[in-house]
Amino acid sequence: MRIGTGFLLAILSGLLWGILAIAIAGISLTLISGLPSAPVISAGAVAGAVSAAIIMLRSPNLRTNGLYLAAFIGAIIAMLGFSFAAPFTEPFTSAPVAQAIAIAIIAGAITLANRACLDGIEGGILTRYKIDVVIVRVLRGFGFVFFTVIVVLPFYVMLMTSLKSQQSLFQNPLDLSVDFSQGSESLFNSYIELFTKFNFGRFLLISTIVSVCTVLITLAFSIPGAYAVARLRFPGQNILSKSVLLIYLVPMIVLVIPLYSVFSQVGLRNSILGLLIVYPATTVPVALYMLQGYFRGLPVELEEAGLMDGLGRLGVIWKITLPLALPALASVSLYVFMIAWNEFLFAFMFLDDPNIFTLSRGVVSLNSSEVPRQHLMAGAVVATIPILVVFLWFERFLVQGLTSGSVKG
């Protein structure tokens, strides 16, 4: 084996994956066991480099599972040896099972990552194409892992904190493990108190009503508007179609103060009706913009055939255009629903009566010294789970609706 750019890239890949793996494992070990462990980053880097070097000992067509097993074992030995058997700065006698599992996971993750990034790569001089392939693989994998952790970690902390008791949080705030032996009533006590003491069932109902009504009002205005911009010819059509999103150039914080003043004078502040006026005003432009692109992609011949068969323009929209545009309508509905469900600024400024709080406004009402922290986290979970389920269920419509109409022809 010749040492060239391939071998050097492999070492760099191993260093990166080793640092990332031991950092993530250290954070996870702290949250699961409660031990204030600080990972020895250099030990992870050395383990990654050793694993990559072992893999590169053979050419790509001679790499077997035994070689990858040797890389796995080599990573463990290098990690323990470089850190003096304390890769998390804690003695191995402290939570030995958790540390052993973490070390095995680190070594396995490093080996699998190096195997994926170095597949088909030899240790000698590489062509420019293969160098680019390794770099793209490493950056793509690193980006995927990094942003996955950034997204998942807050959800994990939020969920685990909501299942803890006030006493356990005071004893060790870093320990986010869950004791399932305490029984379901104690485990879900925060959620039970949310709905029995803090009126969260009503918050859910109000948010659902506001979000659904916002979707219906938005569609009622955006469908005819988008169809007119896409199909009808009138002066200023191009200017209107291109300037429909200009409202988003104005920050909402700039609009909320004058709207607060006006709504207070006309009696619409502290009412659901006030929200049902403001929310569609902020969602109609983006809905109109999304729908007009889809309507332009529909064959105009179908609508002309409908007109020739005696249908009016409204009949053509109802019987031909809308059935064909169901993916776009589902996409727009989901997008608008999420905006209305998660909206906080106007709800915070306009609503003072707890009986008409939306869910986001209700969660903020828990942020006080009188309410335990686990109740606040439980409220955040309750606010997140429904919209997450709805998004995952309708994701295919969202992707299809966003991409439809983006290409002419």
Side-chain angles (χ1 to χ4, degrees), residues 113-286:
N114 283 328
R115 178 177 182 175
C117 293
L118 303 176
D119 183 34
I121 304 300
E122 60 274 3
I125 304 299
L126 298 181
T127 63
R128 178 61 182 271
Y129 172 76
K130 286 195 173 182
I131 292 176
D132 292 341
V133 167
V134 175
I135 293 175
V136 169
R137 286 175 179 174
V138 172
L139 292 180
R140 182 176 57 188
F142 178 81
F144 176 79
V145 173
F146 178 77
F147 288 108
T148 299
V149 172
I150 292 297
V151 172
V152 171
L153 185 59
F155 281 103
Y156 175 81
V157 173
M158 181 173 66
L159 179 60
M160 293 299 105
T161 303
S162 69
L163 299 176
K164 303 287 287 185
S165 64
Q166 186 78 349
Q167 181 181 2
S168 60
L169 286 175
F170 279 133
Q171 289 177 349
N172 189 353
L174 294 177
D175 184 8
L176 294 182
S177 59
V178 178
D179 182 12
F180 291 99
S181 63
Q182 59 184 319
S184 58
E185 185 174 350
S186 298
L187 190 64
F188 296 101
N189 181 63
S190 298
Y191 295 92
I192 295 173
E193 291 189 359
L194 273 184
F195 288 93
T196 56
K197 295 183 179 180
F198 296 98
N199 210 20
F200 249 67
R202 185 171 181 83
F203 297 163
L204 275 172
L205 178 62
I206 295 295
S207 280
T208 303
I209 293 174
V210 169
S211 300
V212 171
C213 290
T214 300
V215 170
L216 296 177
I217 296 172
T218 300
L219 291 179
F221 284 96
S222 60
I223 289 175
Y227 185 86
V229 172
R231 286 287 188 258
L232 305 182
R233 299 294 177 263
F234 54 88
Q237 178 193 24
N238 290 332
I239 296 177
L240 178 61
S241 63
K242 294 177 181 179
S243 62
V244 68
L245 295 180
L246 288 179
I247 186 176
Y248 293 106
L249 295 178
V250 181
M252 291 299 147
I253 191 66
V254 175
L255 300 176
V256 72
I257 302 302
L259 286 175
Y260 179 89
S261 177
V262 172
F263 278 33
S264 297
Q265 295 176 15
V266 299
L268 289 175
R269 193 182 69 82
N270 199 30
S271 69
I272 299 298
L273 181 59
L275 293 183
L276 293 180
I277 294 175
V278 174
Y279 285 3
T282 61
T283 56
V284 165
V286 68

Side-chain angles (χ1 to χ4, degrees), residues 290 327-328 330-336 338 391 393-404:
M290 293 170 63
S331 172
V332 170
S333 299
L334 174 59
Y335 190 73
V336 171
M338 290 191 298
F391 176 80
W393 183 262
F394 288 98
E395 181 186 11
R396 62 185 185 277
F397 295 110
L398 181 63
V399 175
Q400 184 178 357
L402 288 175
T403 56
S404 298

Side-chain angles (χ1 to χ4, degrees), residues 304-326:
E304 292 175 348
L307 292 172
M308 292 178 63
D309 288 341
L311 290 175
R313 182 63 67 176
L314 292 179
V316 167
I317 295 175
W318 182 257
K319 295 184 178 181
I320 298 177
T321 305
L322 292 185
L324 294 174
L326 284 179

